[in-house]
Amino acid sequence: MQTIDLDDVAELRSKQWQSIRMFDGTIAEGYLVLKDGHLSLVKHGVTSHYELSNLLSIASSGKNEIDLWDGYVNLGINLRQGNTVQVDYTFAAGMQRRSSSSRFKADYTTDYSRYEDQKTEETKVTADSERLTPSYDWFFNPKVYFRVADVEYIADEFLNLDYRIHYGVALGYHLVDTSRTTWDFNAGPSYQKSKFLDVHNDDSDTEDSFGLTLGTDFSFEVSNDIDFDVSYNVQMVNEASGGNIHHFQTGLEIDLTNDFDLDLTFYADRTDNPKPDSEGGIPEKNDFRLVVSFGYNF
């Protein structure tokens, strides 16, 4: 893999069809040509010229839908046998579709852990959770985007959650957008519905609430082989639904070879007001995980 500064490129021609979007909303497709600071599209032998300074975005396009998609799969696992019999794994997968005017993302993470007591031979589960977070963004300005759909599904036995479904819309802003660094911020109203596994007889096992969601995503290319990412969001709902619900994720993605990488990821979750179970037991407010995983990007 070669990395070349765009300032050093005299002429660039795309191998595949590209879709471009201009500040005025114009969308056009064709083979992309950048030369001497000028932008051109070649379509069926006809060349159209555009002002490079008015370019909003470029994305793969047209002939093959699969060209618009990319994704990843990560697996971290720990197996122990002997005096301690234990299995821990974290599985994460995601996909993204990007066009010149929109972006769809979906990420899924599941965490599971169990151990076997050597004396009683009893197996005990110590972690069992899953999280799915799809979102859809529409870009209408170099700095501003509209998050048409922001959805989150969570199930966590040890947080006393059968499920929690969150839906919101948001307005996003690109604070920083350079070749090595991106930093986005988004905020908007939301609605959340929760169903709990075990509650007091006098309590309802479901709660719903309108709220406000704030989020930020930061990415920095440390080197050609190392990327640093930070993501944080907080959902502000009523006390019965959990109060302020925080999710923080950060880590390093280290390229190994071709499409394979090594990921070091730290997760921190906090629910300010977790739901007590029928015996009055209150789940811990904070959950922390450090995961080392092997990943494949496609």
Side-chain angles (χ1 to χ4, degrees):
M1 179 179 294
Q2 300 291 328
T3 301
I4 303 171
D5 290 337
L6 186 59
D7 292 339
D8 296 332
V9 177
E11 183 174 345
L12 175 67
R13 293 178 177 268
S14 67
K15 177 183 177 182
Q16 309 288 349
W17 266 37
Q18 304 293 313
S19 173
I20 64 170
R21 186 178 185 191
M22 312 304 287
F23 288 164
D24 62 5
T26 299
I27 296 176
E29 297 180 343
Y31 293 104
L32 182 71
V33 180
L34 290 173
K35 184 177 181 181
D36 298 330
H38 299 286
L39 170 67
S40 302
L41 280 183
V42 181
K43 183 177 182 181
H44 304 312
V46 178
T47 301
S48 301
H49 301 280
Y50 300 89
E51 289 292 334
L52 185 59
S53 59
N54 291 329
L55 178 66
L56 175 61
S57 61
I58 304 173
S60 297
S61 177
K63 296 185 176 179
N64 297 309
E65 171 68 19
I66 196 171
D67 291 338
L68 303 180
W69 292 85
D70 58 69
Y72 69 91
V73 176
N74 290 344
L75 178 63
I77 190 166
N78 176 33
L79 302 175
R80 302 180 65 179
Q81 192 76 29
N83 293 321
T84 302
V85 178
Q86 185 169 334
V87 176
D88 309 291
Y89 74 80
T90 297
F91 174 79
M95 61 178 58
Q96 180 174 236
R97 183 189 187 276
R98 290 174 293 186
S99 72
S100 58
S101 59
S102 65
R103 173 180 61 192
F104 169 79
K105 292 179 63 178
D107 296 283
Y108 174 78
T109 305
T110 182
D111 181 45
Y112 180 81
S113 179
R114 73 170 188 267
Y115 77 91
E116 181 181 312
D117 191 309
Q118 293 294 80
K119 294 181 179 179
T120 63
E121 296 186 350
E122 179 184 359
T123 299
K124 185 174 182 180
V125 176
T126 57
D128 188 4
S129 65
E130 58 181 346
R131 178 192 301 265
L132 175 65
T133 54
S135 63
Y136 182 81
D137 298 328
W138 178 59
F139 301 99
F140 59 89
N141 184 283
K143 289 289 187 179
V144 182
Y145 61 91
F146 179 51
R147 182 152 291 179
V148 182
D150 185 12
V151 182
E152 181 181 65
Y153 167 84
I154 294 178
D156 190 336
E157 177 183 350
F158 293 89
L159 198 55
N160 196 20
L161 272 177
D162 186 16
Y163 64 80
R164 183 173 70 215
I165 299 176
H166 161 95
Y167 177 80
V169 296
L171 197 64
Y173 184 78
H174 294 299
L175 297 174
V176 179
D177 188 7
T178 68
S179 60
R180 297 185 63 185
T181 306
T182 60
W183 188 9
D184 295 349
F185 176 81
N186 60 81
S190 61
Y191 171 78
Q192 178 179 292
K193 182 176 180 62
S194 304
K195 186 175 189 302
F196 303 98
L197 292 167
D198 185 22
V199 297
H200 285 290
N201 292 332
D202 296 335
D203 289 344
S204 171
D205 64 350
T206 60
E207 296 287 350
D208 62 321
S209 171
F210 289 97
L212 175 67
T213 299
L214 305 175
T216 185
D217 297 285
F218 176 83
S219 179
F220 175 67
E221 184 181 329
V222 180
S223 69
N224 290 339
D225 298 324
I226 301 176
D227 293 329
F228 172 68
D229 298 296
V230 179
S231 177
Y232 169 76
N233 72 73
V234 56
Q235 301 168 13
M236 291 176 276
V237 292
N238 62 28
E239 289 296 310
S241 297
N244 293 336
I245 301 171
H246 310 259
H247 176 68
F248 175 80
Q249 178 179 334
T250 185
L252 294 173
E253 180 181 307
I254 305 170
D255 292 338
L256 298 177
T257 177
N258 295 330
D259 296 326
F260 294 93
D261 54 55
L262 179 69
D263 293 272
L264 291 81
T265 309
F266 174 74
Y267 300 89
D269 292 281
R270 176 180 173 86
T271 302
D272 286 353
N273 188 39
K275 189 78 167 181
D277 59 26
S278 58
E279 298 179 355
I282 302 176
E284 291 287 339
K285 293 183 179 181
N286 300 314
D287 284 302
F288 304 104
R289 287 181 292 140
L290 178 62
V291 178
V292 179
S293 60
F294 186 64
Y296 173 71
N297 297 314
F298 57 91

